[in-house]
Amino acid sequence: MQLLLTRIKLNRLRTVRRYSTPSLNDTYEAISVHNPRLNALPHIHPLDPTQEANGPLSGWSFAVKSNIASPLPTTCASSMLSSYTSPFSATAVTKLEHAGARMIGTSNMDEFGMGSLNQSSVHGPAHNLHPENGNVLHSPGGSSGGSAAAVAARMCRVALGSDTGGSVRLPASWCGVVGFKPSYGRVSRYGLVSYASSLDSVGILARSTRDIRDTFNIISAPDPHDMTCMSKSLRSRIDTLCASREWISHNTIASEPLKGVRVGVPSEFWVDELSPSAIDAWKRGAAKLESLGCDVIPVSLPHTPHTLPAYYTLALAEASSNLARFDGIRFGTRHPPTQSTRASLKYAQTRTMGFGDEVKRRILLGTFVMSARAYENYYLPSQRIRRLVQREFNRIFAMPNALCTTNTKTDARNVDKVDAILFPTATDTAPVQGSNNGLSAYVNDVMTVSANMAGIPAISVPFGLCEGMPLGLQIAAQYGDDDLVLRIARHLEPQPA
């Protein structure tokens, strides 16, 4: 009888999925059906039918990654913060609530955002909705896997995540939804528990680019609480640079809505780990963009092979510093030692008991990188590679980087320059949960970390299935050119029937 009722609920949800935008009641019904299996939302806000909200996002539901401050516990999926509730909400959460959206819960994640499989959570691993009729549970990706799984299962309309090296875009690809990482500083990081401060961005996941854009328009604004957030003057200069590109027109014919846009295909992303299905999707995506009026040309980013090791060197160095505050005195659940009263042992016991294995591994590596002997051999060369990666993107993009120029006009386009680039989001479809460990778990980030190293906007859109599992393609553009990324993605994503 219970199985029959579950099937009836699933059929109703599929009907809602095809023909309408789900109401809040439908959202909570989807949670009751899918969350026990997916473990996507460890904390759920109870539905209050008397609560009314007005605004441009009235009637919308959203989930918040567990490392973003909200009225619910901000646990970072860690024992260290298992009982912590923030005294304030993140700027992005506050803006969504003021716009009328309803927060329905916090989403599962890898502990402190460290992972790409969503299996290092104190709440247990999150799982992928796909394949919907399968018995084997696949990884939703990480570290924002709970957010992606919740969106895919219609447990919320949009979800907030954090993207340090692809933590929004990789789950989006594996779960068959849209995942957007804005330019660094577009969205305030106030209220986001830092992993690597110079790489972190608050990202958005949704089932359509239109919902991404509507959400982005609400949360993208200057914020005096975050000194890394873009100022009004910088945003204005970027808008002027974007508008000065005479070759990109918004008044295009319906059959070629992207006419004038030049898209590059970077050859360095054709890595050995790339699966045949990802290569096929990449080729089909390039062909579709050509049919929409784009000029698709090859480009080169020679330092891409060095980006992944440089990223992990810098990210772990920053993580070891950022996580030093979790000592049981300033932040974190305290675990006092049984015998010694030395202060250092008090810290050690708390951090040993509070952090999981993956977090402790990354803290140790990051501390080593910042040691006197390793600093010049690892950290400084990684910073040089990061600067070279940024310069390579500046070289191939037609629009100048607003951080590197005082010009307010884009020069005539060089024939070798492009407006955006297209490449796969992941090397393959989602693995079975628990089957992909060791070094291979770190390689998952090879397609995504470049955008974080350069601070540029990037978006993953679903582009087909391989044996019932989704695959995504990624679009990136110059720093600040978020609108063009969203525009291309809107035409590249599958259109509703």
Side-chain angles (χ1 to χ4, degrees), residues 130-163:
H130 300 279
E132 291 194 50
N133 299 320
N135 295 321
V136 179
L137 296 173
H138 288 72
S139 170
S143 61
S144 305
S147 293
V151 169
R154 292 202 163 233
M155 290 190 271
C156 56
R157 183 161 180 174
V158 297
L160 295 180
S162 63
D163 194 308

Side-chain angles (χ1 to χ4, degrees), residues 85-152:
T85 300
S86 172
F88 64 92
S89 291
T91 297
V93 174
T94 302
K95 286 185 176 295
L96 288 178
E97 290 179 332
H98 288 172
R102 187 82 62 85
M103 178 180 168
I104 53 93
T106 58
S107 60
N108 208 347
M109 58 179 286
D110 284 294
E111 185 180 6
F112 281 100
M114 298 182 182
S116 57
L117 298 170
N118 216 138
Q119 60 188 25
S120 64
S121 168
V122 71
H123 306 297
H127 302 296
N128 200 326
L129 177 68
H130 300 279
E132 291 194 50
N133 299 320
N135 295 321
V136 179
L137 296 173
H138 288 72
S139 170
S143 61
S144 305
S147 293
V151 169

Side-chain angles (χ1 to χ4, degrees), residues 360-373:
K360 285 186 281 191
R361 183 182 299 115
R362 298 195 184 199
I363 289 175
L364 289 172
L365 288 171
T367 303
F368 168 74
V369 165
M370 295 302 291
S371 64
R373 185 177 61 179

